[in-house]
Amino acid sequence: MMGAEQSTALRSMGQVDGKPVEFKYERDENLTDDPSKQCLSYRLEDTNYVTTVSGLDIIAILPVSAHLPNDYTILYVQPPSKDADSEATSKHPTGVTVFQSIVATSLPQQFIHDYTPGGKSCWQLRVDKGGQLAWPNLHIIVSTKSGTGLAEAYFQNLGKPMLAHLGQHEGTGYTVHRTESEHSITELVASVILPRARKGVNQAILLMSGDGGVVDFVNALFARGTEGEVTTEGFGSTYVKPNICLLPVGTGNALAQSIGITRDHTLGLSYMLRGVHRNLPVFRATFSPGARLVTAFGKREVPLPADEHKIGTLWGAVVCSWGFHASLVADSDTEEYRQHGAERFKMAAKEALFPADGSEPHRYQGKISVLREGKAEATDVQATDDVMKTASKRNLVWETLDRQEHTYVLATLVSNLEEGFTISPKSKPVDGKLRLVHFGPMDGTKIMEIMGLAYQGGKHVDDESVDYEEIEGLKIEVEGREDDSRWRRICVDGKIVRLESDGWVELRKEPMDVVDLVGKA
């Protein structure tokens, strides 16, 4: 598994489910936080039969009882076998990861140290008891349509049995909310989660969804929570931020990829038990009058939610883009494409980069302005709201790019947009820094080359044709230069907004903290 010069094997004699065994725990001393470099194996006494549990599969280990100080339960997962005829696959025809557990006695001490949740990781501390009302404040949201539609199967085979092992059962320990429409999460937040948060109730959310579920949750909080001025007080002085543990079952899972949830096979359950919660940074995108939200796989358009000034507004935690990326997301968001999971993006990309009529990729026409740190006086930025007042104090200035034709304009708070696709290599988990990636017109082959470099750890930012920087804000103005509405689409965390012919979108980092995300301890 690992080079002998780097690994350490720790051994002990003990038991597994009452049977005598010899334990061996291996870990790479140079990569102590990398689960792929750790494994626990045990050999039944007087036999050569060895069972190995990879660190990638371990959720956590928990004490059995204070009266049995040497006994621990190992919670782990069994990923689906790649062998269609295997015993594991025949037992689990859904092809999803399933929950497993064993009771182990006298484990190696280093293994106990590495996989026992720390004090700040205690998930029970993130959930208030219901008191006399007896309402569960652990909410399981199953997004039935996310990705390829496996959320329910993952809940039944993984989430539900693990919660049962923790002594949590539906109705008393937690409530399950299954999405029935694109409005389900919004309605749940408005009717249940936000009112309780305003009363000072700690609530944990196990969100089985993709990035869309997170953006729906965040937007519902802001849309219902900011009555009057958008200030912290808008949520009430007793407001307690809900905390989300994301179990990624979406297509790209950008947020999960960027904070490390997908680095193991536990679908985020290791983070639920061993992670800690931190503020989730978000941005606010405001739109020109007439901008419309595209829904129902591009078949319908509806008015945007409005902020306290009646301005169309969306909040996001991942990305805001215009150009190639936004068109790619929009064009691939059909029922037919979604059956292919993340591959849908590559399929749509081929059509965009090499149009059937032999023409070159579209040149997006518009003005791009970037809000940067500057030496200018405060008057360079009008202080029209709380965000702008903060910008004024920091001497931020708008600067317009010389380029008037564009291919790729993307601002992001995360490092990865999908597995292996590192769009912003300098971004760190929940660091709150907004970064811009943009480049001008080029042929399809060159665009494909740049996108390929992003799959090589983000090397595209070293290409001389790509601009990459940290920014404080971004404004995109179409200025009536795009007659076809296809080229006026904006992407905010997977949601598509269509601008009017003279429309614009303005992006700022949101100063308010309204929700926590459970991440690496």
Side-chain angles (χ1 to χ4, degrees):
M1 177 178 120
M2 295 167 286
E5 71 282 3
Q6 293 181 319
S7 65
T8 299
L10 305 164
R11 301 172 185 268
S12 66
M13 301 301 297
Q15 295 181 343
V16 168
D17 292 338
K19 299 176 182 179
V21 300
E22 178 186 13
F23 291 110
K24 182 171 73 171
Y25 176 46
E26 294 182 86
R27 70 201 293 264
D28 191 322
E29 294 299 328
N30 296 325
L31 297 167
T32 57
D33 65 344
D34 185 349
S36 70
K37 304 299 183 182
Q38 301 170 0
C39 74
L40 177 74
S41 59
Y42 55 91
R43 179 180 60 82
L44 289 174
E45 192 174 51
D46 300 326
T47 73
N48 292 321
Y49 184 76
V50 177
T51 299
T52 299
V53 182
S54 168
L56 292 169
D57 299 334
I58 298 173
I59 298 170
I61 63 172
L62 304 175
V64 170
S65 167
H67 302 294
L68 299 169
N70 295 323
D71 288 9
Y72 289 85
T73 301
I74 302 176
L75 311 181
Y76 65 103
V77 301
Q78 179 184 323
S81 172
K82 296 180 181 179
D83 181 2
D85 297 324
S86 72
E87 180 182 356
T89 300
S90 64
K91 287 182 179 179
H92 312 296
T94 54
V96 300
T97 301
V98 297
F99 174 77
Q100 301 286 339
S101 68
I102 56 175
V103 175
T105 305
S106 300
L107 287 161
Q109 286 299 311
Q110 187 63 56
F111 179 73
I112 295 173
H113 175 271
D114 287 350
Y115 286 95
T116 301
K120 293 182 179 179
S121 300
C122 183
W123 69 272
Q124 290 97 331
L125 298 180
R126 302 196 293 265
V127 185
D128 281 344
K129 300 297 182 183
Q132 294 180 343
L133 297 176
W135 56 29
N137 289 308
L138 173 58
H139 302 277
I140 316 299
I141 301 177
V142 182
S143 183
T144 57
K145 300 297 184 182
S146 285
T148 53
L150 289 175
E152 181 66 32
Y154 275 119
F155 173 65
Q156 296 295 337
N157 289 279
L158 185 57
K160 186 175 182 178
M162 192 203 77
L163 289 166
H165 192 91
L166 298 175
Q168 304 299 311
H169 301 280
E170 186 173 354
T172 55
Y174 62 88
T175 303
V176 179
H177 311 272
R178 292 177 174 84
T179 60
E180 298 178 353
S181 74
E182 59 188 292
H183 306 296
S184 294
I185 292 178
T186 300
E187 292 166 356
L188 171 64
V189 172
S191 62
V192 177
I193 293 172
L194 181 57
R196 293 185 190 180
R198 278 179 157 160
K199 293 177 181 178
V201 177
N202 278 296
Q203 298 172 93
I205 318 297
L206 201 59
L207 180 57
M208 305 188 72
S209 173
D211 297 318
V214 179
V215 70
D216 286 344
F217 195 100
V218 169
N219 275 274
L221 285 175
F222 276 108
R224 301 298 193 277
T226 52
E227 297 174 356
E229 289 298 312
V230 181
T231 63
T232 309
E233 289 72 25
F235 285 81
S237 60
T238 59
Y239 179 81
V240 173
K241 292 188 289 182
N243 60 88
I244 295 175
C245 181
L246 181 60
L247 272 63
V249 294
T251 303
N253 298 312
L255 192 57
Q257 295 283 348
S258 297
I259 67 174
I261 288 177
T262 56
R263 69 179 188 149
D264 67 21
H265 300 154
T266 70
L267 203 76
L269 292 180
S270 62
Y271 276 48
M272 176 185 173
L273 295 192
R274 292 189 280 132
V276 297
H277 57 97
R278 297 182 176 89
N279 178 62
L280 175 65
V282 298
F283 59 78
R284 174 168 47 163
T286 53
F287 293 84
S288 54
R292 308 274 289 180
L293 182 65
V294 180
T295 65
F297 302 112
K299 300 174 184 176
R300 190 159 53 96
E301 295 185 3
V302 298
L304 277 169
D307 68 4
E308 73 282 9
H309 302 300
K310 308 302 181 184
I311 297 174
T313 304
L314 286 177
W315 283 265
V318 178
V319 64
C320 180
S321 70
W322 174 56
F324 177 70
H325 176 267
S327 294
L328 194 63
V329 174
D331 291 340
S332 66
D333 191 22
T334 66
E335 292 176 294
E336 180 182 357
Y337 269 129
R338 277 191 170 271
Q339 296 176 7
H340 300 282
E343 284 297 311
R344 67 188 176 102
F345 298 123
K346 294 178 182 179
M347 295 166 66
K350 183 178 180 180
E351 296 179 17
L353 296 177
F354 305 102
D357 63 3
S359 61
E360 64 176 14
H362 183 71
R363 295 171 174 244
Y364 293 81
Q365 310 287 324
K367 182 171 77 173
I368 305 296
S369 302
V370 178
L371 188 63
R372 300 186 176 106
E373 293 274 5
K375 298 180 180 180
E377 295 298 324
T379 52
D380 284 346
V381 182
Q382 288 186 326
T384 56
D385 56 28
D386 287 346
V387 181
M388 295 297 280
K389 289 174 185 176
T390 301
S392 177
K393 292 176 182 177
R394 295 179 56 200
N395 291 335
L396 303 180
V397 294
W398 285 104
E399 299 178 7
T400 300
L401 302 184
D402 292 334
R403 183 186 300 137
Q404 294 293 309
E405 294 185 331
H406 316 271
T407 290
Y408 201 91
V409 181
L410 182 147
T412 184
L413 287 167
V414 303
S415 60
N416 288 53
L417 295 185
E418 61 177 78
E419 184 177 3
F421 189 77
T422 308
I423 191 63
S424 178
K426 290 184 179 180
S427 295
K428 305 300 179 186
V430 295
D431 66 2
K433 294 183 178 180
L434 187 64
R435 288 185 164 88
L436 175 66
V437 180
H438 61 104
F439 53 86
M442 54 187 68
D443 62 38
T445 301
K446 179 61 177 177
I447 296 173
M448 207 158 142
E449 177 189 327
I450 290 175
M451 294 295 99
L453 290 172
Y455 282 103
Q456 299 177 34
K459 290 183 179 179
H460 63 295
V461 300
D462 298 324
D463 189 292
E464 62 181 10
S465 61
V466 177
D467 291 301
Y468 177 54
E469 63 177 308
E470 181 181 350
I471 62 173
E472 297 298 322
L474 175 70
K475 189 168 185 178
I476 299 165
E477 300 171 85
V478 181
E479 299 185 313
R481 297 169 59 189
E482 291 287 9
D483 293 332
D484 191 334
S485 64
R486 291 172 56 205
W487 315 126
R488 304 196 302 267
R489 294 176 296 185
I490 303 293
C491 172
V492 175
D493 286 15
K495 292 186 179 296
I496 300 299
V497 178
R498 196 186 305 276
L499 300 177
E500 294 291 280
S501 61
D502 58 348
W504 51 264
V505 58
E506 187 173 317
L507 183 71
R508 300 291 184 83
K509 290 191 288 187
E510 173 59 58
M512 294 177 59
D513 300 339
V514 299
V515 66
D516 282 342
L517 185 69
V518 178
K520 182 180 176 183

